[in-house]
Amino acid sequence: MAFASHNSKNGLHASRLDRPLSVNSMKSLASSPTALTPTSTRPKSAAPGSSSVQRRNGTGAQKSGKDDSGVSGRVRVAVRLRPRNAEELAADADFADCVELLPELKRLKLRKNNWDCETYQFDEVLTETASQKRVYEVVAKPVVESVLEGYNGTVMAYGQTGTGKTFTLGRLGEEDCADRGIMVRAMEDILADISPEHDTLTVSYLQLYMETVQDLLAPERDNIAIVEDPKTGDVSLPGTTLVELKDQKSFLELLQTGEANRFASNTKLNTESSRSHALLLVNVKRSAKNKQEKDFVIHNENGNSVHVSKGHRVPTIRKSKLLIVDLAGSERVDKSGHEGHQLEEAKAINLSLTSLGKCINALAENSPHVPTRDSKLTRLLRDSFGGTARTSLIITIGPSPRHRGETSSTILFGQRAMKVENMVKLKEEFDYKSLCRRLEAELDKLIADNERQAQAIFDGEEDMERKLEEAGTRVAEAESKVAAALEVISKEKQRQQKELVEMMQNLQIERAHRERLELELRENVQDLQDKKKKQIYAENEKHQKEIRDILEQHQQEIKDVQTRLANECGQRERLEKELHEANICLQQSKEILEPENIHKEELSDLKQMLEKECELRQQAERELDAFKREEKKLTNGITEKNDIGEIWVLKKRLEQELLEREKLEDEIKSLKQQLLQVHVDAEERSRTIGKGSSARSSGGSNSTISLHTPSNMKDTINGQRATIAKLFEQVGLQKILSLLESEDVDVRVHAVKVVANLAAEEVNQEKIVEAGGLGSLLTLLQSSEDETIRRVAAGAIANLAMNETNQELIMAQGGIGLLARTADDAEDPQTLRMVAGAIANLCGNDKLQIKLREEGGIRALLGMVRSRHADVLAQVARGIANFAKCESRGAAQGYRTGRSLLIEDGALPWIVANANNEASSIRRHIELALCHLAQHEVNAKDVVSGGALWELIRISRECSREDIRSLAQRTLNASPTFQAELRRLHVTY
């Protein structure tokens, strides 16, 4: 920043040299303001034809190696803790402070909870007992000393409202001199160091209220304009009041006047809360001492150098400024309770502080663009952060754990400010009028010398013109010879170009002829191949038809034999069942005999019944043995019976077997009804869920397919599960699994649905796998042609695939190949959803990734996007996210190298195309997958070339999920390839 002075003293005018002097302008030095700037500053470039001024110091500025652009100086940041006030002592008596200071290590710990904290390093850490004098000496005194030496300086206080910013900076110390703030102490040191006879000290006191700059010393000036120099970028305030100070008393009166005009109000957080940003601007103008005599060289437009005599001592002045800024406190509306006009004031304060934070963030990150024009505060502080001033920042915090969020924000602001680098420059200028008077004599002498040199140049020019005429004659002769040679060369070139055109035409004719011959050859070869294929196809069809006929004949014979064997086996099972029931009855009879109060008559009856049961059992055993012998005879092919009595006995037995078969059929019908009831309950639950929720989404890396239910359907689910559990207890898992092999399609459909619902419970999964249910489901998926069976079987496999052990079993039994083939054959969206869910669960296993890809799992997953059904695409996106997450984890742990298998299989274009899908379930998984792919540096080039970098930037800005947005930002920051591409495209995020 720069402020213009509206008064001059003793006719002394000083200004910064923006352009070097020329010889022709030396005569006007006495009437126009011009300055010679020493080597502390130099322009970036000089316009063509302009003159320049150099300081001669024996070896020259270029040879000395000194950097004239300034010295780099980081912003120094100190933190000060306010002691607890009466309200906090009462409200937070049972809670510890949220911060812990370590002043000897210059560190601060911010407690997150009772067992975790974050540590921050600062330049100075001031406890609640630190005195105002110590605060001034460590924070502001180095800046004040730099200002007295000729450098610009800034001291600024930042923090939450009520944490002691105004106390630290603007305390007057009227009641207790030890309480004097930085403003008062700084002015004491400045007044003690300057000389009233030779130095000038002026002060302005301003406030920034509701984005308007107001003069606290002249309240009627309530909208002062900010003016920027288009060449140097310095900021000035032409309408401010400049007060020249001679003593400390006048300065205290000035501060009292300004504080009386400053806006303040009573809030819930502070009884005297400042509602504006206060800026105290102190301008110091001093004469430089102990200046050595300097020799200057002035270059004119003709390139001649003119030396200024060494005996001239150039008067030098140093103009510096000290800016002390008391920022209004940051505050949250819900805590301060602002309403009406106070709410508008809070908005203006927070807006300007937010703009300041953005500028500091940009400077800390070396951003090519710093938004200084977003607020008047940032425009006024342009020189303090990233400029030429030496800046010292003190952040004030409170101990209360209720304001931990504001305390953390203040600490992070200070941490970012410590990263800002300023180029501190010495503000030194020359008194140009004195210099002009001393140079007038030299100028007259130089003019005389210049006239003599001009005459010598005129004589030399006449001689040169004569020599030029002679040279022109020789050049004309040479040009005529060159023109003749060029004409010959041009004719030769035209002839060669004509020959080249003819050769190109002949070559094109030959090429067309060759292409025609190749086309005819390919057509002939294709005709021969087609004829050969048709002949081979006809022969194959003939052989295959003969083979089918033979196979059908053998299959019919095998089927007849199997039917007979099945009938005989059914009879044997019935007899074994009767035997088992007889044993149960016998056991029950024995248990009935145990009580002692049974009468003897009843005991005898029971004994008789027991004897009858034993006889029946023996008879059943004999019949069973006879049946086994008969079965053996039938198996061996003995079909002819010579004895009519044996035929009659077999006939009776067949009738009994028919009766038993009817009983078994009744039992099967009963099981069918139970299975049908389970299916009806499941469909009612699905319809209810469909009414309660318009869309389904799959969540987590291993999700259960079709079994997520809203909370309002808890009773329906409990009834469904109770029915399945009752069926499970009555029938048994082995019996239910055996029904998967039934010849009746409806039985298989109901059975596989029951297994799928059982598999949804984690407690049943191990039992199903141990009983061979996984193998049965895979077999059913491979052999069945019914779409419902395939869909439900795939859903059951997906539920089993939630367990890591089951995932390895599925892979070992070829499950991924079956799922891939099912995905290729199926067209039903629900079947594809189940298959995609199963593969998605398998994608979450780190150990199976290579095998999963080799057996076509990734290819099948990408192939299912042809359905374009939202549920299918959601499962595909979840599988890709699981696979990318495992790859990212493997790369981070070091056992995974090389490009992503997803990128090699062509998944990246689909990911980019659907990264901004309207369905949140699809978009969330794809965003997560893209972030994980981009984390591995070896994939960075593919991400950039595939257009995924722009989607990654969008995710880092617009993603609704905080964790995914943070992951995208970390990925962009960590990748050198992404950073280089963003710099090349001049993109910020």
Side-chain angles (χ1 to χ4, degrees):
M1 293 184 299
F3 291 87
S5 176
H6 299 287
N7 59 350
S8 59
K9 202 169 187 182
N10 300 325
L12 181 63
H13 298 274
S15 64
R16 185 180 293 105
L17 177 62
D18 294 329
R19 293 181 300 174
L21 296 174
S22 65
V23 173
N24 294 331
S25 63
M26 291 296 292
K27 294 182 179 181
S28 61
L29 286 174
S31 59
S32 63
T34 310
L36 299 179
T37 305
T39 56
S40 60
T41 58
R42 70 179 179 189
K44 295 182 178 179
S45 62
S50 64
S51 62
S52 61
V53 179
Q54 299 178 347
R55 175 183 299 174
R56 301 189 64 184
N57 52 6
T59 58
Q62 297 296 331
K63 295 182 180 180
S64 66
K66 182 179 178 182
D67 185 7
D68 295 339
S69 60
V71 180
S72 176
R74 178 177 61 79
V75 174
R76 290 180 53 83
V77 180
V79 59
R80 186 180 190 185
L81 177 64
R82 172 182 58 76
R84 288 196 177 190
N85 54 32
E87 179 184 359
E88 292 172 346
L89 290 174
D92 302 332
D94 298 333
F95 300 93
D97 293 349
C98 65
V99 294
E100 178 184 357
L101 302 184
L102 302 174
E104 62 279 5
L105 299 177
K106 297 184 180 180
R107 293 180 182 174
L108 177 146
K109 290 185 177 181
L110 178 63
R111 291 192 178 94
K112 299 172 66 176
N113 45 49
N114 291 333
W115 58 86
D116 193 9
C117 63
E118 297 174 347
T119 304
Y120 300 93
Q121 186 79 30
F122 288 95
D123 295 313
E124 292 292 340
V125 175
L126 303 170
T127 64
E128 62 272 20
T129 60
S131 64
Q132 291 282 73
K133 181 178 180 181
R134 170 163 170 75
V135 173
Y136 169 74
E137 288 178 348
V138 299
V139 175
K141 190 169 184 178
V143 178
V144 173
E145 292 174 350
S146 298
V147 171
L148 292 173
E149 292 174 0
Y151 299 91
N152 289 346
T154 301
V155 179
M156 187 173 71
Y158 176 92
Q160 183 191 7
T161 182
T163 55
K165 298 182 299 301
T166 304
F167 177 86
T168 301
L169 294 182
R171 190 74 169 181
L172 299 180
E174 296 174 341
E175 299 177 358
D176 187 358
C177 62
D179 289 341
R180 289 171 298 162
I182 290 176
M183 291 182 179
V184 177
R185 294 177 185 271
M187 189 55 63
E188 288 176 356
D189 288 349
I190 293 174
L191 289 172
D193 190 78
I194 65 174
S195 173
E197 293 79 13
H198 303 92
D199 303 334
T200 305
L201 178 64
T202 59
V203 176
S204 297
Y205 201 13
L206 312 170
Q207 71 172 353
L208 180 61
Y209 175 73
M210 298 288 286
E211 282 302 305
T212 60
V213 180
Q214 302 178 6
D215 195 337
L216 291 176
L217 304 180
E220 65 276 4
R221 301 178 183 178
D222 57 357
N223 191 8
I224 300 174
I226 300 175
V227 179
E228 291 185 16
D229 190 338
K231 295 182 179 179
T232 64
D234 292 340
V235 178
S236 61
L237 299 167
T240 59
T241 301
L242 291 176
V243 178
E244 185 174 353
L245 294 181
K246 295 295 182 180
D247 54 15
Q248 183 71 7
K249 182 179 178 181
S250 59
F251 175 70
L252 293 176
E253 293 174 353
L254 181 146
L255 286 182
Q256 290 175 348
T257 303
E259 289 299 323
N261 293 327
R262 189 178 178 186
F263 286 95
S265 62
N266 185 7
T267 66
K268 291 183 179 180
L269 299 179
N270 192 0
T271 57
E272 294 182 4
S273 176
S274 301
R275 312 312 296 161
S276 65
H277 307 299
L279 295 92
L280 177 67
L281 180 62
V282 180
N283 295 292
V284 180
K285 182 177 179 182
R286 309 187 67 184
S287 299
K289 299 178 181 179
N290 298 327
K291 277 290 181 180
Q292 298 179 356
E293 295 181 355
K294 306 180 188 300
D295 191 2
F296 289 90
V297 179
I298 302 176
H299 298 277
N300 58 17
E301 291 84 354
N302 298 326
N304 298 326
S305 60
V306 181
H307 296 271
V308 180
S309 63
K310 186 176 180 180
H312 296 154
R313 181 184 297 275
V314 181
T316 306
I317 59 173
R318 292 180 179 176
K319 297 172 64 176
S320 59
K321 57 190 174 185
L322 172 63
L323 179 63
I324 302 178
V325 184
D326 181 11
L327 296 175
S330 61
E331 55 191 14
R332 294 174 59 181
V333 177
D334 55 346
K335 290 185 178 182
S336 61
H338 290 322
E339 295 179 356
H341 184 66
Q342 285 188 344
L343 180 59
E344 297 299 323
E345 291 176 340
K347 288 181 180 178
I349 292 171
N350 290 336
L351 179 62
S352 61
L353 292 178
T354 300
S355 300
L356 178 60
K358 290 180 180 179
C359 292
I360 291 180
N361 288 344
L363 290 169
E365 297 172 358
N366 292 325
S367 175
H369 171 66
V370 180
T372 56
R373 294 186 175 274
D374 290 353
S375 170
K376 289 186 177 180
L377 177 63
T378 55
R379 293 176 65 188
L380 292 172
L381 296 178
R382 182 174 182 178
D383 193 46
S384 302
F385 293 96
T388 62
R390 188 183 302 278
T391 301
S392 183
L393 170 67
I394 179 168
I395 59 173
T396 59
I397 59 175
S400 175
R402 291 178 298 164
H403 305 304
R404 184 191 178 282
E406 290 81 355
T407 301
S408 176
S409 175
T410 302
I411 292 172
L412 293 178
F413 179 90
Q415 289 289 305
R416 290 190 292 269
M418 290 177 67
K419 299 178 182 179
V420 178
E421 294 283 342
N422 291 352
M423 295 300 295
V424 182
K425 296 181 180 180
L426 183 65
K427 305 299 181 179
E428 190 175 68
E429 298 176 355
F430 295 137
D431 187 359
Y432 61 88
K433 280 194 174 183
S434 176
L435 177 63
C436 288
R437 286 193 297 270
R438 296 181 181 183
L439 293 178
E440 283 179 350
E442 294 289 339
L443 182 60
D444 293 335
K445 181 180 179 182
L446 292 174
I447 291 174
D449 293 339
N450 188 37
E451 289 177 352
R452 287 191 292 271
Q453 290 178 2
Q455 183 61 38
I457 291 172
F458 178 78
D459 297 337
E461 287 178 350
E462 289 182 347
D463 187 38
M464 185 64 66
E465 287 177 355
R466 180 178 56 78
K467 294 180 179 180
L468 285 176
E469 289 176 356
E470 296 176 357
T473 303
R474 292 194 295 270
V475 169
E477 295 175 355
E479 286 178 349
S480 62
K481 295 179 181 179
V482 171
L486 288 175
E487 186 176 357
V488 174
I489 293 172
S490 177
K491 292 180 179 179
E492 182 66 20
K493 183 177 180 180
Q494 291 177 357
R495 184 183 63 80
Q496 292 179 356
Q497 288 179 349
K498 184 177 181 180
E499 292 177 355
L500 180 61
V501 170
E502 292 176 354
M503 292 174 63
M504 292 294 294
Q505 292 176 354
N506 295 332
L507 181 60
Q508 290 178 355
I509 293 172
E510 292 294 334
R511 184 179 298 171
H513 180 64
R514 186 181 65 182
E515 289 176 353
R516 186 177 70 258
L517 292 177
E518 289 177 352
L519 180 61
E520 292 176 356
L521 179 60
R522 284 197 297 270
E523 290 175 353
N524 294 333
V525 171
Q526 186 65 32
D527 293 338
L528 292 175
Q529 289 178 350
D530 293 340
K531 291 179 181 179
K532 187 67 176 177
K533 287 181 179 178
K534 289 179 180 179
Q535 184 178 358
I536 294 172
Y537 181 79
E539 293 177 358
N540 288 338
E541 286 292 329
K542 181 179 179 181
H543 292 310
Q544 288 178 1
K545 184 177 182 181
E546 293 175 356
I547 292 171
R548 283 197 298 271
D549 294 337
I550 295 172
L551 287 175
E552 288 176 357
Q553 181 179 358
H554 286 296
Q555 287 176 356
Q556 185 63 36
E557 293 175 358
I558 292 171
K559 189 174 182 180
D560 295 338
V561 174
Q562 289 177 347
T563 303
R564 291 197 298 272
L565 288 176
N567 293 335
E568 296 300 333
C569 291
Q571 294 175 0
R572 184 180 65 182
E573 289 176 357
R574 180 187 61 78
L575 293 176
E576 289 177 350
K577 184 176 180 181
E578 290 179 352
L579 179 60
H580 179 66
E581 291 175 352
N583 289 329
I584 293 174
C585 293
L586 179 61
Q587 183 67 25
Q588 292 175 352
S589 299
K590 289 180 181 180
E591 293 175 355
I592 295 173
L593 293 177
E594 289 179 1
E596 296 178 357
N597 57 353
I598 298 178
H599 299 290
K600 295 181 179 180
E601 295 178 356
E602 294 177 352
L603 183 61
S604 61
D605 294 336
L606 291 174
K607 288 182 178 179
Q608 292 177 1
M609 293 173 63
L610 181 60
E611 290 174 356
K612 290 181 180 180
E613 291 294 334
C614 291
E615 291 177 357
L616 290 173
R617 179 180 179 184
Q618 293 175 358
Q619 182 180 358
E621 289 176 351
R622 288 193 297 273
E623 291 178 355
L624 180 60
D625 293 338
F627 179 78
K628 289 181 178 179
R629 289 193 296 272
E630 185 64 28
E631 181 184 10
K632 186 174 181 181
K633 291 180 182 180
L634 291 174
T635 305
N636 294 331
I638 302 174
T639 57
E640 296 182 359
K641 307 298 180 184
N642 297 326
D643 192 350
I644 298 175
E646 292 179 355
I647 294 174
W648 183 80
V649 172
L650 289 174
K651 185 176 180 181
K652 291 293 184 179
R653 290 180 180 177
L654 286 174
E655 292 176 355
Q656 293 177 359
E657 293 297 331
L658 290 174
L659 293 175
E660 294 296 333
R661 184 175 181 181
E662 291 177 356
K663 293 180 180 179
L664 291 174
E665 290 178 351
D666 293 339
E667 181 182 356
I668 291 173
K669 289 180 180 180
S670 177
L671 290 175
K672 283 184 178 180
Q673 292 176 356
Q674 294 180 5
L675 291 172
L676 182 61
Q677 182 62 34
V678 171
H679 179 55
V680 170
D681 293 341
E683 290 182 348
E684 290 177 355
R685 186 198 63 176
S686 300
R687 287 194 296 271
T688 308
I689 294 173
K691 293 177 181 179
S693 175
S694 60
R696 294 179 309 223
S697 63
S698 59
S701 61
N702 292 326
S703 61
T704 304
I705 305 301
S706 299
L707 295 178
H708 291 299
T709 310
S711 58
N712 60 351
M713 296 308 300
K714 186 174 182 180
D715 296 337
T716 306
I717 294 175
N718 292 335
Q720 170 72 15
R721 291 178 177 174
T723 304
I724 295 174
K726 183 177 179 181
L727 177 63
F728 181 70
E729 294 175 357
Q730 291 178 354
V731 179
L733 179 61
Q734 201 66 41
K735 185 67 175 178
I736 295 174
L737 293 177
S738 65
L739 294 178
L740 295 176
E741 302 175 359
S742 173
E743 295 182 359
D744 192 336
V745 176
D746 293 336
V747 173
R748 289 202 305 272
V749 170
H750 295 312
V752 75
K753 289 183 178 180
V754 172
V755 174
N757 281 278
L758 289 174
E761 298 290 337
E762 185 176 357
V763 69
N764 299 328
Q765 292 180 359
E766 184 177 356
K767 297 178 182 179
I768 294 174
V769 174
E770 290 178 353
L774 178 59
S776 300
L777 291 171
L778 292 174
T779 303
L780 201 62
L781 185 65
Q782 180 181 12
S783 60
S784 178
E785 297 181 356
D786 185 86
E787 190 68 28
T788 302
I789 293 176
R790 294 169 67 188
R791 178 177 68 252
V792 180
I797 294 171
N799 292 338
L800 293 176
M802 291 187 298
N803 184 279
E804 184 175 354
T805 304
N806 295 342
Q807 292 173 358
E808 296 178 357
L809 291 175
I810 292 171
M811 295 294 290
Q813 297 182 23
I816 189 61
L818 291 176
L819 291 170
R821 288 192 291 274
T822 304
D824 293 338
D825 298 339
E827 296 296 336
D828 179 45
Q830 297 304 320
T831 303
L832 292 174
R833 181 172 69 90
M834 298 297 181
V835 175
I839 297 177
N841 287 343
L842 294 174
C843 287
N845 193 321
D846 297 349
K847 304 175 183 177
L848 307 178
Q849 285 202 313
I850 302 299
K851 191 173 181 181
L852 183 70
R853 189 229 184 171
E854 291 176 351
E855 296 188 8
I858 301 302
R859 177 190 56 78
L861 200 64
L862 295 174
M864 283 184 280
V865 302
R866 68 181 185 276
S867 169
R868 297 186 179 180
H869 194 276
D871 292 342
V872 179
L873 296 180
Q875 295 297 330
V876 172
R878 184 172 66 87
I880 291 176
N882 289 345
F883 198 93
K885 184 177 181 180
C886 290
E887 284 192 326
S888 177
R889 184 163 54 241
Q893 296 176 359
Y895 63 83
R896 174 76 175 85
T897 58
R899 293 175 65 212
S900 170
L901 300 180
L902 290 173
I903 294 178
E904 291 182 356
D905 282 358
L908 186 59
W910 185 81
I911 293 175
V912 175
N914 291 269
N916 200 15
N917 196 290
E918 294 180 356
S920 61
S921 59
I922 301 173
R923 183 178 63 257
R924 174 165 51 86
H925 288 303
I926 292 180
E927 289 175 344
L928 186 60
L930 184 56
C931 291
H932 284 304
L933 283 176
Q935 276 190 312
H936 199 13
E937 184 64 21
V938 74
N939 300 329
K941 292 185 178 179
D942 294 300
V943 172
V944 173
S945 62
L949 178 58
W950 299 107
E951 292 298 331
L952 199 61
I953 295 173
R954 180 193 62 77
I955 294 170
S956 68
R957 294 173 176 173
E958 303 175 2
C959 182
S960 59
R961 287 273 300 270
E962 172 100 15
D963 53 344
I964 299 178
R965 188 169 66 253
S966 299
L967 179 60
Q969 293 172 356
R970 291 197 304 271
T971 301
L972 287 170
N973 290 330
S975 174
T977 304
F978 295 158
Q979 291 296 317
E981 183 66 15
L982 292 175
R983 288 194 296 271
R984 187 181 69 81
L985 299 175
H986 305 289
V987 175
T988 59
Y989 60 93

